[in-house]
Amino acid sequence: DAGVIQSPRHEVTEMGQEVTLRCKPISGHDYLFWYRQTMMRGLELLIYFNNNVPIDDSGMPEDRFSAKMPNASFSTLKIQPSEPRDSAVYFCASTDRDRLHNSPLHFGNGTRLTVT
Amino acid sequence: DAKTTQPPSMDCAEGRAANLPCNHSTISGNEYVYWYRQIHSQGPQYIIHGLKNNETNEMASLIITEDRKSSTLILPHATLRDTAVYYCIVRVYGGNTTLVFGKGTRLSVIA
């Protein structure tokens, strides 16, 4: 089990540029979550998917943010255009949400985004 | 989901038990208590969860009071690698609810 894999590990970009963060969930997991962590706001849920379908995107800050899950093994979080206030660590997490046993969330090691 | 209250920081001597408290006085009957931790530069890691009975696994023990208004996470023999932020989360079992993280307790294990 390779765990949740996120790429890149670090991203530095200039304001106005497009940024794409990538996530590969654990095989067999049918829920995928995107979180953002900053010192000021802590860990915030941005959006989550079930069976590749977005279920709740109420945490997405604004229209500059978009997330997709084209298949069960891949998801992207895109910011266009990026702004300095988007600087944060972005985490992806997955779970299989077994109805009999409440499976925990498994997190990746995050992407540290710096927008200058 | 019910809110939780945790002390912002705690110290523990290496090799001793670390007891991390959490208050959740508004917890409802169908809400579980979950504990996660986050080691520096890593994603949060699941530790343990429970409803009303005490729970133990290879990482820790969870003690929930009889009225379920508070709980304690116990790391029986803390090591330097246990230095992390520990999050106590109360959440309804299953359904479409998600984990809402508070500020947690920053545990420093000291040699």
Side-chain angles (χ1 to χ4, degrees):
Chain A
D1 182 355
V4 176
I5 300 172
Q6 293 187 245
S7 64
R9 193 80 168 90
H10 301 275
E11 177 78 44
V12 180
T13 190
E14 293 183 348
M15 183 174 65
Q17 296 298 306
E18 177 180 295
V19 175
T20 299
L21 311 181
R22 297 172 175 78
C23 175
K24 177 180 170 56
I26 292 174
S27 178
H29 282 189
D30 55 355
Y31 280 80
L32 183 141
F33 302 77
W34 282 100
Y35 283 83
R36 177 174 68 174
Q37 186 171 35
T38 61
M39 288 293 292
M40 291 295 295
R41 302 172 69 94
L43 268 164
E44 303 173 278
L45 177 66
L46 300 178
I47 184 172
Y48 77 94
F49 296 81
N50 176 216
N51 292 323
N52 313 335
V53 176
I55 303 300
D56 184 356
D57 65 355
S58 60
M60 295 285 263
E62 49 198 272
D63 291 346
R64 298 184 297 106
F65 285 68
S66 62
K68 294 182 179 180
M69 193 164 185
N71 57 62
S73 59
F74 183 66
S75 177
T76 59
L77 178 67
K78 185 177 293 186
I79 307 172
Q80 167 64 19
S82 59
E83 297 182 3
R85 60 191 168 124
D86 301 331
S87 297
V89 181
Y90 291 80
F91 289 103
C92 177
S94 70
T95 186
D96 58 7
R97 200 67 74 93
D98 188 316
R99 290 183 183 278
L100 295 177
H101 305 283
N102 198 345
S103 301
L105 278 186
H106 297 264
F107 284 81
N109 281 328
T111 295
R112 180 175 294 277
L113 174 65
T114 303
V115 183
T116 60
Chain B
D1 290 343
K3 292 184 178 179
T4 61
T5 304
Q6 299 178 254
S9 64
M10 292 181 61
D11 291 338
C12 177
E14 187 178 21
R16 304 296 295 267
N19 297 286
L20 294 95
C22 180
N23 286 324
H24 31 79
S25 59
T26 60
I27 192 170
S28 58
N30 62 344
E31 289 181 314
Y32 280 65
V33 180
Y34 293 78
W35 284 84
Y36 280 72
R37 73 179 182 183
Q38 187 174 22
I39 296 170
H40 183 62
S41 297
Q42 297 182 20
Q45 175 192 24
Y46 167 80
I47 302 173
I48 198 168
H49 75 277
L51 181 62
K52 55 183 178 180
N53 297 321
N54 297 337
E55 302 287 344
T56 295
N57 63 20
E58 66 278 5
M59 291 182 68
S61 295
L62 174 61
I63 308 298
I64 303 174
T65 58
E66 191 170 345
D67 63 7
R68 303 207 323 120
K69 293 185 177 182
S70 65
S71 60
T72 301
L73 178 74
I74 301 172
L75 308 178
H77 306 286
T79 70
L80 298 178
R81 288 176 294 181
D82 292 322
T83 293
V85 177
Y86 288 76
Y87 297 98
C88 170
I89 303 164
V90 172
R91 172 178 168 266
V92 174
Y93 179 95
N96 283 329
T97 59
T98 57
L99 288 178
V100 178
F101 288 81
K103 296 190 180 300
T105 296
R106 181 173 298 278
L107 174 69
S108 297
V109 180
I110 303 167

